[in-house]
Amino acid sequence: MTTIFDVIADPTRRRILDLLCQRRHSVGELVDALDISQPGVSKQLRLLREAGLVYVEQEAQLRWYHLNPEPLKELDSWLESYRNLWSDRYSRLDAYLQTFQTQEKENDNE
């Protein structure tokens, strides 16, 4: 079973997601932007579709690929606790550094 972490671990797939975040793209546009073969892009798009990160809209002969941000929201929710952890640590470090700088200034003024 492939997880969203497995899917986004690949730099090419992350680049595709970055491009689709800006606007919809056809396979040909992605081939040009990524400078990899059409079968290579198609394989990456299939994996992204299977993970639910991408959906396809067909217009006549053209298939447009769009970003589906919903699975990324789930990932973001999971990451939120880690973000809070680091934010708390940075806040404590900032407070410590401010205390240290205040003490340094007081020592310099003596």
Side-chain angles (χ1 to χ4, degrees):
M1 181 175 137
T2 303
T3 68
I4 193 167
F5 296 104
D6 296 324
V7 173
I8 64 172
D10 182 83
T12 301
R13 290 190 287 267
R14 286 195 311 270
R15 181 69 180 122
I16 290 171
L17 292 174
D18 290 342
L19 291 167
L20 294 177
C21 186
Q22 297 168 13
R23 66 175 180 84
R24 70 184 188 167
H25 283 77
S26 67
V27 173
E29 291 173 333
L30 292 170
V31 167
D32 292 342
L34 298 168
D35 197 31
I36 60 176
S37 69
Q38 186 274 326
V41 170
S42 293
K43 176 185 174 188
Q44 302 304 330
L45 287 168
R46 179 181 51 82
L47 293 168
L48 289 166
R49 266 193 339 266
E50 289 172 357
L53 291 165
V54 168
Y55 68 93
V56 184
E57 172 191 16
Q58 183 138 6
E59 278 183 16
Q61 300 298 319
L62 206 52
R63 291 180 181 213
W64 293 101
Y65 288 83
H66 300 263
L67 176 68
N68 177 19
E70 290 305 313
L72 295 174
K73 288 180 184 177
E74 293 173 28
L75 178 63
D76 185 58
S77 294
W78 180 78
L79 289 170
E80 184 64 28
S81 62
Y82 294 95
R83 212 175 286 117
N84 291 336
L85 171 75
W86 283 107
S87 179
D88 291 344
R89 288 181 180 182
Y90 287 134
S91 294
R92 285 188 303 220
L93 176 61
D94 187 48
Y96 172 77
L97 292 174
Q98 286 181 3
T99 302
F100 183 75
Q101 287 174 340
T102 301
Q103 289 173 351
E104 288 269 313
K105 286 179 184 177
E106 289 173 359
N107 290 340
D108 287 344
N109 291 333
E110 290 180 1

